[in-house]
Amino acid sequence: MQNAFTEHDAIVPIDFPHLLIETAVAFGASRSDLIEGTGVAPETFELPDARISYAQFQRLEENALRLTKNPALGLYYGERAHVVHLGAVALVAMSSADVQSALIAVLEHQRAFLPGWVFEFRVDGPIGRIALREALPRGDLRVFATEAVAVGFHRVCRQILGREPPLLELHAAYPRPAHHAEYEKFFRVPVLFDQPVSEAVFDARVLQDRMEGSDPAMAARAARYVAAERIQASGNASIVDDVRRVIGGYRRTRPDLGDVARELGTSARSLRRNLHENGASFQALLDEARRARAEDFIRQTNLRVEQISTELGFTDVRSFRRAFKRWTGRTPMEVRNDGDKA
């Protein structure tokens, strides 16, 4: 998948640069020295909706490492991550039916708060895997950034679950760093370095556990709120993009034209007309969204077809198989087997 952004686009939520500053200050760095050369005004770090570019964030990271002289700073920075930094996505996850649905909710919306990374989730029998890949190359900051995301994601998962995640191993796609002994403070499992991909390996049985705060209605409302937030943040997005975002907020239910119109503050009639004027139809956009999610699940995970059918809101697996064949001309297993061969 090709990125729609560059290192100079303002896409990094200010929460994380702010956390890095607080972490570095705790290790003795000066706030003014930390932001030197970033091109970011001091007051920007106090604005809740501000965003900076990865080029600016990289300068801040470089300053933090230089000023603290702590090569393990990424680990301590990640430990400051909190579930509240996920915003409404945290509510979607914590009110989901089970752990698997909660995890999928977080990963579906991950780009909103970690746009520079791509997470890939799959299940191999009793083993679950969450791989972490760079959407933008981090160069010399790769180890620092990967450590921060890994520790942060682990801490957030612990908070969502209310207990320690059942990690089995951690794999790191870089050589063992000199500060590797520090990992023991944050992970109580073996860490393997020089691996093909950075990933967390865990006991997949946890995926079937019911979430303590399970509330499907709340999860659905929160998911729609997340979609609405994205629309508001998008500013001048077209009506087609708006509809795509709202549809993306519905997970196990299938919205109709009226549902989406209400989210956009318009009438179903006006929405249908506006879509037509833009050469689109609601049904086509709905099918597009479900097809994209279906193909992602088939290609990037080992979830059973029955599970994918449920996640997409189909009433039964046969309906899903028929829809998938209509969309792609192939069965789910044919697409998955092609991906395995590749």
Side-chain angles (χ1 to χ4, degrees):
M1 181 173 61
Q2 193 172 17
N3 296 324
F5 56 83
T6 72
E7 64 177 357
H8 299 292
D9 293 321
I11 59 172
V12 181
I14 203 65
D15 292 338
F16 299 103
H18 184 269
L19 279 182
L20 178 54
I21 288 176
E22 296 304 314
T23 306
V25 167
F27 280 90
S30 154
R31 294 179 189 275
S32 58
D33 289 343
L34 283 165
I35 65 174
E36 183 179 354
T38 63
V40 182
E43 57 269 23
T44 301
F45 294 95
E46 304 304 324
L47 300 176
D49 296 323
R51 290 176 179 257
I52 67 174
S53 71
Y54 265 101
Q56 293 170 316
F57 192 26
Q58 177 171 316
R59 183 61 184 266
L60 176 62
E61 293 170 320
E62 291 170 343
N63 287 347
L65 285 168
R66 173 176 54 80
L67 293 168
T68 63
K69 298 181 174 60
N70 183 358
L73 186 67
L75 299 169
Y76 294 92
Y77 167 38
E79 185 65 9
R80 285 180 175 257
H82 195 278
V83 68
V84 298
H85 297 126
L86 274 60
V89 175
L91 184 56
V92 180
M94 298 178 81
S95 55
S96 292
D98 51 40
V99 173
Q100 178 170 288
S101 299
L103 178 60
I104 288 173
V106 172
L107 297 184
E108 278 186 345
H109 299 290
Q110 160 262 317
R111 281 295 185 96
F113 40 87
L114 286 175
W117 296 90
V118 176
F119 287 77
E120 298 172 356
F121 165 54
R122 63 190 176 96
V123 178
D124 300 325
I127 302 298
R129 299 176 185 273
I130 301 175
L132 177 65
R133 302 179 189 277
E134 300 163 87
L136 284 176
R138 303 310 308 279
D140 293 339
L141 291 166
R142 183 185 189 192
V143 173
F144 167 87
T146 303
E147 290 174 344
V149 173
V151 173
F153 190 75
H154 181 260
R155 184 165 193 258
V156 166
C157 286
R158 186 167 65 235
Q159 293 169 339
I160 290 175
L161 289 174
R163 62 185 187 277
E164 195 70 20
L167 274 180
L168 301 175
E169 285 183 349
L170 282 175
H171 297 175
Y174 49 80
R176 186 173 67 176
H179 59 274
H180 65 90
E182 297 269 10
Y183 282 58
E184 295 180 8
K185 297 179 182 178
F186 303 92
F187 306 109
R188 299 178 181 177
V189 297
V191 181
L192 308 181
F193 298 96
D194 283 314
Q195 299 300 301
V197 64
S198 294
E199 64 179 359
V201 181
F202 63 94
D203 185 342
R205 288 177 297 182
V206 72
L207 296 172
Q208 307 308 315
D209 289 354
R210 182 178 176 81
M211 292 294 294
E212 184 177 347
S214 176
D215 184 337
M218 176 61 72
R221 288 197 298 272
R224 290 195 289 273
Y225 178 76
V226 171
E229 274 192 324
R230 288 188 177 184
I231 292 170
Q232 185 176 4
S234 67
N236 61 353
S238 72
I239 188 64
V240 174
D241 289 337
D242 288 348
V243 171
R244 283 185 174 125
R245 289 185 177 89
V246 173
I247 289 174
Y250 285 78
R251 295 172 57 242
R252 289 191 173 188
T253 56
R254 181 176 180 175
D256 60 26
L257 185 66
D259 294 327
V260 176
R262 281 190 292 275
E263 295 290 337
L264 295 175
T266 187
S267 68
R269 183 177 180 179
S270 295
L271 179 57
R272 183 183 291 110
R273 183 181 66 251
N274 288 338
L275 287 173
H276 178 73
E277 291 172 354
N278 282 273
S281 74
F282 177 74
Q283 186 59 50
L285 293 175
L286 185 62
D287 284 345
E288 172 193 277
R290 298 179 101 194
R291 171 180 176 169
R293 288 191 65 202
E295 290 198 72
D296 282 346
F297 281 135
I298 292 293
R299 295 180 188 278
Q300 298 181 18
T301 80
N302 282 339
L303 295 176
R304 298 192 306 275
V305 174
E306 291 80 5
Q307 293 173 295
I308 296 173
S309 172
T310 300
E311 287 297 329
L312 294 176
F314 282 87
T315 55
D316 59 73
V317 70
R318 286 178 296 180
S319 298
F320 168 64
R321 286 195 174 104
R322 286 196 296 269
F324 194 88
K325 185 70 178 289
R326 185 177 72 252
W327 294 332
T328 67
R330 296 190 293 170
T331 68
M333 287 302 98
E334 286 173 341
V335 171
R336 175 165 282 172
N337 289 337
D338 282 352
D340 290 342
K341 291 174 184 175

